[in-house]
Amino acid sequence: MMKRAITKRMSVAAVGGVLLAGVAGAAFAEEQVGDGNDVDVSVTIEDANPGVLAMSVAGTSSALAEDGSTATVRQFTGTLPTVTVTDTRTAEEIPDGAYWWVEGTASAFTGDAGQAPIGAENLGWVPALLNDDGSGAVAEGDNVAPALDETEAPNNVGLEGRELLAMAVTSEEAIGSWQANAGLVLQVPVDTAPGSYSSTLTLSLFE
């Protein structure tokens, strides 16, 4: 109760001060002396938001389902969420000779019940450019097959290392937005222990 009473008194004092100031101001007469003078005020506001090169991914997970297994190899397939690279820079903001590219690399698949891990070399992909305009400004990476697919040697190295998803020939020619994804293929021996496994596929944009 005491705190509310103090607050109220302070408010009244402030209102009283405004009223007194208003009364005093009304006692003065205003008279302009001479003609008025105009001053033109101008300002130039530079662009505070220069263009940027950025990457986004449409999702954070991809579930693989069995498809195309044989008597000796079990195969699981899925799709990488759409990867979008957007460049909002002007040609003047892009360094001479610059180009960008997106790489992917996977970790080993680990089991949820202590199963032996499945090496990342067993996961491959087939990159695809989704909005190819025919200009050749952006190209998709090469297919990378799983290690067990010996028919694709020497490209059967999987995603154990850094593999190309897509790249721009030059950044200046690729201004705008580009989308790519990839078909994912996991191949494991038929005697692989059953259970749930998970891997992390890391995507990185470089220029």
Side-chain angles (χ1 to χ4, degrees):
M1 294 297 292
M2 181 62 70
K3 184 176 181 180
R4 293 180 58 188
I6 293 173
T7 303
K8 184 175 180 180
R9 284 197 297 270
M10 291 176 64
S11 177
V12 169
V15 172
V18 172
L19 289 175
L20 289 174
V23 172
F28 293 94
E30 296 182 356
E31 180 179 353
Q32 180 173 325
V33 179
D35 296 331
N37 294 279
D38 296 333
V39 177
D40 292 328
V41 179
S42 63
V43 63
T44 299
I45 300 177
E46 301 292 343
D47 186 1
N49 298 302
V52 295
L53 175 65
M55 180 184 72
S56 62
V57 183
T60 58
S61 64
S62 178
L64 306 181
E66 189 160 9
D67 178 38
S69 295
T70 67
T72 57
V73 175
R74 298 186 68 179
Q75 178 170 285
F76 303 82
T77 62
T79 304
L80 181 73
T82 298
V83 177
T84 300
V85 176
T86 301
D87 195 346
T88 60
R89 298 173 296 180
T90 64
E92 291 73 21
E93 293 175 316
I94 297 174
D96 292 339
Y99 63 95
W100 57 257
W101 70 98
V102 177
E103 292 180 355
T105 184
S107 66
F109 285 80
T110 57
D112 64 349
Q115 308 98 306
I118 299 170
E121 72 276 8
N122 294 289
L123 177 67
W125 70 6
V126 180
L129 190 61
L130 301 182
N131 59 339
D132 188 356
D133 61 0
S135 66
V138 176
E140 61 202 26
D142 293 331
N143 297 352
V144 180
L148 293 179
D149 191 351
E150 296 180 355
T151 63
E152 294 295 326
N155 296 323
N156 60 332
V157 295
L159 300 180
E160 185 176 27
R162 295 164 55 177
E163 300 297 337
L164 181 66
L165 177 68
M167 69 174 294
V169 177
T170 67
S171 295
E172 187 173 343
E173 294 181 9
I175 293 174
S177 185
W178 301 87
Q179 294 183 325
N181 67 5
L184 301 176
V185 182
L186 175 68
Q187 292 183 347
V188 298
V190 292
D191 60 353
T192 298
S196 296
Y197 293 79
S198 61
S199 167
T200 298
L201 204 171
T202 302
L203 300 165
S204 302
L205 171 64
F206 299 92
E207 182 177 58

